[in-house]
Amino acid sequence: MSPEPIPQDIEQGALRRANARHEAAKQASRNPKSIVQRISEAAAAAGLEDGREKSKERLYIDQLIEDRSKLKPPPGTHPVSAFWSYGLEHPAAPPNRDNVPFLDQRFIAEEWAHQQNQQEPGSAQTLETTPGGRELDEMFLWEPNVIKALGGQQAGFGPDFAATCWQTISGTYAEVAEGEVFVFADTANTRSILHQRELSTLCANDKVGLDNIRFVYEAPATWPEVTRTEAGTNAVRTVAQFDNPALPRYIDPYAYPADEPEVRKAKVDSLLALAAPAQEAAAVAAPGVEAPAVTGPGVESPAVETPVVKAPAAEAPAVEATAAVREPAVQAPRKSVRTPLWQVGFDHTPTAARPSAPGPAAGAGAAVEPVLVPRPLGTGMDGPS
């Protein structure tokens, strides 16, 4: 039986969060000095002063994005850590930079975590709901007016500063994760922070590892069934990429079924075998010391874990790998937190109209409802829509 689409209560809660965040970002853009003042006060409270090369604000942000203590859950709690990438067009969502109404997976993940925490407090989190992630988010570094108010390029706040900050803090968040983690995406695009930083770090994290990474969405419905069954497992989607044939670890999801079964198996085995070095490194790492993760798009990093894992019951069986299966480093104790498994999309078609270009009114006739489809952000990086 095919999984259900994103539940309506999750959808509606995510839309409320997305629209509230959009309004807050507009306010920050209108009054960027208030954001800079808040950052300055936090830097001063931390005892930082302007240096010869960096302002106290820059020093504070640099420290924040690597501060593990602000990304760990409160003592006594063991939440599932959720990760996300890209999003979906949705006519009721705020417009992104291309003026397309777009709902980030971030808000779907946050609403899911919120509902989980209502049932069992402390059971789920996202990066943006941790103290460190929330603080960075409230700096609104994606807003050009805020970057300008911080001093811009001359002060070390260039056009890529926000993306660099979120890449770094995302890696730190993955380093401190424990047990099962949930990924709100159907695949990891090679241009995303999920692919470039988070998945490799999670695989190298001996308290998570390949065995504990769960994709919330089933493999894309447009893939052939053979691809969905053999290359659509959690393990393969973690170590492979499906969008750029010029980069390593590529699987063409549409050409994949044309190969003989033994060729397909060899391909999957070779990708899963890349996990072995990371597992070995994690096994010998000293307690409390994280094995280093090699990052970057298309890097053949050792930051992946051991071959072949058990897929969730709702998922198609994995292709058998040649290497031995290793037990997960940490067995998550959260029996009440079930892995959601959804289709990418919604269980109804909203009626809100998508913004149209100025022009003469359309002639009378039946309204055409928009089709909701996944769409990457304009920059190709995870950031504001």
Side-chain angles (χ1 to χ4, degrees):
M1 183 176 178
S2 180
E4 295 295 321
I6 299 167
Q8 286 191 36
D9 58 338
I10 297 287
E11 173 194 353
Q12 294 304 314
L15 287 168
R16 286 192 293 271
R17 293 173 182 276
N19 283 294
R21 179 61 169 75
H22 182 66
E23 291 302 315
K26 289 197 296 185
Q27 179 62 33
S29 184
R30 286 191 293 263
N31 188 15
K33 290 184 179 179
S34 66
I35 305 299
V36 175
Q37 180 180 354
R38 189 169 68 238
I39 299 172
S40 299
E41 291 172 352
L48 299 175
E49 299 178 351
D50 291 334
R52 296 181 60 183
E53 297 182 356
K54 294 183 178 181
S55 66
K56 65 179 182 293
E57 291 83 10
R58 174 63 192 268
L59 291 170
Y60 182 77
I61 295 171
D62 287 350
Q63 290 183 10
L64 173 66
I65 59 181
E66 295 187 357
D67 189 345
R68 299 162 66 93
S69 68
K70 290 188 175 182
L71 299 175
K72 290 184 176 180
T77 64
H78 302 280
V80 170
S81 294
F83 295 77
W84 63 272
S85 186
Y86 293 152
L88 296 159
E89 288 188 25
H90 193 298
N96 65 8
R97 286 168 290 184
D98 295 327
N99 202 35
V100 175
F102 194 81
L103 181 60
D104 285 348
Q105 292 285 359
R106 164 194 169 170
F107 302 109
I108 297 173
E110 284 183 11
E111 180 61 23
W112 169 82
H114 169 70
Q115 294 191 19
Q116 287 296 319
N117 288 325
Q118 286 186 317
Q119 299 173 29
E120 182 183 344
S123 63
Q125 66 177 7
T126 70
L127 170 57
E128 290 82 3
T129 63
T130 64
R134 184 182 303 111
E135 186 174 358
L136 183 64
D137 187 48
E138 292 175 353
M139 292 179 181
F140 296 96
L141 297 178
W142 294 104
E143 296 301 316
N145 286 349
V146 173
I147 291 297
K148 182 179 179 180
L150 284 166
Q153 183 80 53
Q154 291 184 342
F157 296 94
D160 296 329
F161 182 70
T164 300
C165 287
W166 281 104
Q167 276 200 337
T168 302
I169 199 171
S170 295
T172 309
Y173 176 61
E175 288 173 359
V176 301
E178 296 185 10
E180 270 192 328
V181 300
F182 294 167
V183 178
F184 283 74
D186 57 358
T187 63
N189 187 283
T190 53
R191 297 173 66 195
S192 67
I193 293 174
L194 179 65
H195 173 81
Q196 295 182 2
R197 192 67 178 261
E198 291 171 332
L199 289 177
S200 60
T201 304
L202 288 168
C203 287
N205 180 344
D206 65 327
K207 294 183 179 179
V208 181
L210 185 63
D211 306 54
N212 278 323
I213 299 172
R214 307 279 185 258
F215 281 79
V216 166
Y217 301 110
E218 65 174 0
T222 57
W223 287 4
E225 189 61 31
V226 169
T227 308
R228 285 165 55 84
T229 299
E230 298 179 1
T233 64
N234 288 317
V236 179
R237 282 188 284 167
T238 296
V239 300
Q241 56 93 2
F242 305 90
D243 64 278
N244 193 335
L247 295 178
R249 306 186 183 186
Y250 176 67
I251 290 178
D252 183 335
Y254 302 101
Y256 179 86
D259 290 331
E260 294 297 324
E262 59 271 19
V263 174
R264 300 197 304 265
K265 180 179 183 301
K267 175 68 173 179
V268 169
D269 285 355
S270 68
L271 292 174
L272 292 172
L274 294 171
Q279 180 62 43
E280 292 169 2
V284 300
V289 177
E290 302 292 342
V294 180
T295 63
V299 173
E300 284 293 352
S301 126
V304 247
E305 210 209 336
T306 113
V308 171
V309 298
K310 291 183 179 179
E315 189 179 10
V319 176
E320 182 183 0
T322 54
V325 175
R326 182 185 177 91
E327 290 298 317
V330 174
Q331 295 289 346
R334 316 168 192 88
K335 293 182 179 179
S336 63
V337 181
R338 296 179 58 189
T339 306
L341 184 61
W342 303 326
Q343 295 178 26
V344 174
F346 306 101
D347 57 6
H348 67 111
T349 303
T351 57
R354 179 168 164 174
S356 57
V368 178
E369 294 182 335
V371 177
L372 305 181
V373 295
R375 171 191 170 96
L377 302 181
T379 60
M381 293 297 295
D382 297 309
S385 13

